[in-house]
Amino acid sequence: MRAAEPLRLWYRQPATNWNEALPIGNGRIGAMVFGGVNSERLQLNEDSLWSGAPQEADNPDALEAMPKIRELLFAEKYSQAQKLASRTLICKGPGSGKGRGGRLAYGSYQTLGDLQIEFSGDTNSPFANYRRELDLKSATACVSYEQGGVRFERESFSSFPDQVLVVRLKASKRGTLNFRARLRRPEAAGLDSADNDELIMTGQLWNGTADEGIRYAARLKTICDGGKVTAHSGELRIENATAVTLLLAAATDYRMQLPDWWQGDPEAKTAVQMKAASVKPYKKLRAAHVADYQKLFNRVQLDLGSTDAAKLPTDERLKAVSKGGSDPALVSLYFQFGRYLLISSSRPGDMPANLQGLWADTVQPPWSSDYHANINLQMIYWPAEVANLSECFEPLDRYIALLTGPGAKTAKVHYNARGWTVHTLANPWGFTAPGESPSWGLTPSAGAWLAQHLWEHYQFSCDTNYLRRVLPILRGSAEFSLDWLIEDPKTKKLVAGPATSPENTFITEDGQKASLCMGPTMEQEIIWDAFNNYLEAARVLGVNEPTVAEVEKAKSRLLLPQIASDGRLMEWPEEFKEAEPGHRHVSHLFALHPGKQITLRGTPELAAAARKSLEIRLASGGGHTGWSRAWIINFWARLGDGNKADENVRALLAKSTMPNLFDTHPPFQIDGNFGGVAGICEMLVQSHAGEIELLPALPPAWQDGSVKGLRARDGYEVDLSWKGGKLASAAVCNVSGDGICRVRFGDKSTELKVRRGKTISLNENLKNN
Ligand code: FUC
């Protein structure tokens, strides 16, 4: 059976809270659409609307304390080391305010406010045939119902080509559309009418000491078919219209990283945008939006089969799945919704997607909705390459380059190191210092982890010009790692530290909880990865600079992942007792995913140890946050266990997904959505181990299906179909590769020669047909 509503989220009732509302976005301007009947709310966002300002947070005390802390750690005096580190290996000043940075210089991502629409006319009549939906094919949110014998329809989208948000309202009977439209914001909002049919809201945010932070403007314009519009103190009144188009333009004067065309006064900028958009008829705006969006969205199609469950509204489907029901089409909907979210929150020229992507409804969202780099920001971008949305990586690419400036200063002040680094958290103002406590804030390899994305972008695109451009950044993270490593006096291996296994703790011999040690596994694995990627990049580009020899030498002396006496992969270099065996971070498995130091066929013993770690982590309650669960899907996929991967896909939907399909930590955090998409890709195609593996982790529950358009490293695109749990056919297209690739399905593998731009079709035995 094919799905009744294949690519739509839909509901029979308006949203009663934000986690039921539906997100739209053009990468920069976003809204959550509630779909009320007598009053509609679109909660608005603009992606650079951040309070705060650059701050001096690097701490000179760190460097001085470092030798002593290392000495204590090598002498296994963990508690003493932790005490000293808590005073010194932290940022200077209030830092991020422990996730509440809105009134500090650190700042917070903030809501732009609401577009509120109050209907008048026949609003006392009951309404019928209500439907609210988000159509992933056209990236439009729609509401329709009947009231007083009239059918009302609303359609909203945020246009990337025209840089405005558009709401179209329609009534089936002439002159029956009556409403008032208003803009509002909880603070820092001045309202004015810009014209008879236009409102403007402006303000300036807090920068940590005064209302002198960034300035913003939002403009709302009405274009009526029939009826009339008038502006009254802070609101637009629409009377007796038949159809109305509302246009919303928004901008700030944030200018740390946006391209030149974007700089300038937000009032002037929005005026220009509004003028350009308002001369275009609604149909044209819509057509341009849909065409632009579909260029990205239509690249991938996924069919996992369907059941009767697919006929139900999305919230009911989710409820059924949380009771153990099977709904394969909900998995493919979730997958495409994740791709939709990335297109909607991360487009070239914009800010990177933050912890909530683009959507946040307060002036102080959780963790300030910032850029957490000890898993979250990276996870957000995991689908970009594999799910064929490479362009959506551009904001992160530019942001990483931005961070190398302040990150070089942090590297110097805290470590006297070359290169650059980032710690656990970052903001648009270039915060790269450690957080306020080493237990969660000291992740010096977060920068090298981010740099992995640059190498991956090259691996998928094979764009050597790009690689040449980012080589200094890759070199910078390798150099930072070189200077940050130190010889362990006992083993003579190179170890990085003091550092943590992100946010996890162990019990010291004197019964204390500690998190710092020398050479925690993740830190070592990320450094291995950074070294490897830099060396590969230098080889591809034919660069033989002195750093190459330095890195080769250090790589051969690195402490490598170790197996514990109980068969698990060790999280720390010693077999510490864990304070929380089911901890949400599973950092020591970085080498399995997103790294490639551990592979099923290349390092089977380490893969078996990773499996054991995962089993125990899960049996102890792991995977309880959305992103943690999503990461686990990726691990199982890399371990080739489709059944376990599927169990965790189901758990992600059942336990960590809200009615609007947003991931919940809790609260809402978008990383799990993206980690889930990446995990589903990893179940179907993998390419990290030097070959393209088809269906490496196909679960028994997905008996028949097909996928089109997934990307593989070295420049390939893959389509495949399967029947009865086995490969039926595949097509490998060489988009930008050198034309020689190895393809595997189970135990069979074959070498293909595919000319650039050509596709080779394979049958179930990997034979060309
Ligand atoms: C990391 C995680 C938390 C949360 C936060 C935003 O620090 O440990 O669980 O996801 O990021």
Side-chain angles (χ1 to χ4, degrees), residues 50-92:
W50 263 81
S51 64
Q55 63 172 310
E56 179 49 68
D58 292 332
N59 185 354
D61 294 347
L63 190 58
E64 214 190 301
M66 191 77 75
K68 181 73 197 160
I69 295 169
R70 284 178 165 165
E71 196 186 302
L72 289 167
L73 290 172
F74 280 131
E76 299 176 17
K77 295 183 176 151
Y78 299 106
S79 305
Q80 264 173 276
Q82 188 95 19
K83 243 185 231 147
L84 181 54
S86 300
R87 292 200 311 270
T88 53
L89 303 190
I90 52 171
C91 55
K92 196 174 75 186

Side-chain angles (χ1 to χ4, degrees), residues 355 367 372 374 376 503 584-585 627 665 669:
L355 280 174
W367 289 288
H372 264 61
N374 66 358
N376 320 87
E503 312 198 32
R584 61 193 183 286
H585 286 265
W627 62 257
H665 181 285
Q669 213 172 280

Side-chain angles (χ1 to χ4, degrees), residues 91 119 125 139 200 210 276 296 383 396 454 589 621 707 718 749 769:
C91 55
F119 294 91
S125 301
I200 182 160
L296 296 169
L396 180 63
L454 309 179
L589 302 200
V707 66
V718 179
S749 84
N769 53 8

Side-chain angles (χ1 to χ4, degrees), residues 222-243:
T222 309
I223 301 162
C224 282
D225 294 359
K228 67 167 190 185
V229 54
T230 44
H232 302 260
S233 57
E235 69 177 35
L236 297 174
R237 270 184 217 163
I238 288 85
E239 288 164 282
N240 306 327
T242 309

